[in-house]
Amino acid sequence: MRTDGGEAYKLTNHSGGVVNYKWGKNSNTIFFVAIDSLTKFEKERKEKKDDEIILDYNYKSCRLYEIDIQSREIKLLTEDKQNVNDFGWEAQ
């Protein structure tokens, strides 16, 4: 929500769900950790109520993203197969 008033608004439609977030040092960005979204195959299975569990298949990672508040542009910061649980700022 804006500090000078107004209504809150949604910044992202990330379907995996946000696990953690922190404001960037410049207050113009937010960094967040989100779980990978479901694949098309997984969505179809879910709609059919096919709840079979396949071990070690299509593991969902938590990834680090950056979102620019003004443009709402989202940038993925971690590579494939990297899993992020938490993050912080390095002292300079």
Side-chain angles (χ1 to χ4, degrees), residues 52-70:
E52 174 185 24
I53 297 172
I54 305 171
L55 295 177
D56 298 327
Y57 174 76
N58 203 18
Y59 177 77
K60 299 295 181 206
S61 294
C62 291
R63 304 194 191 283
L64 181 61
Y65 296 84
E66 175 184 11
I67 184 167
D68 181 280
I69 302 300
Q70 300 300 320

Side-chain angles (χ1 to χ4, degrees), residues 3-61:
T3 57
D4 60 349
E7 294 297 317
Y9 56 91
K10 192 174 185 178
L11 288 174
T12 178
N13 289 320
H14 196 281
S15 61
V18 173
V19 176
N20 190 2
Y21 70 92
K22 294 179 183 170
W23 281 94
K25 289 183 179 182
N26 63 9
S27 298
N28 294 322
T29 55
I30 295 175
F31 294 86
F32 66 94
V33 175
I35 301 170
D36 289 339
S37 300
L38 295 176
T39 64
K40 182 180 176 183
F41 174 70
E42 291 170 321
K43 288 177 188 175
E44 289 172 357
R45 286 185 57 215
K46 190 174 182 177
E47 288 173 9
K48 294 178 189 175
K49 299 186 190 290
D50 179 359
D51 61 355
E52 174 185 24
I53 297 172
I54 305 171
L55 295 177
D56 298 327
Y57 174 76
N58 203 18
Y59 177 77
K60 299 295 181 206
S61 294

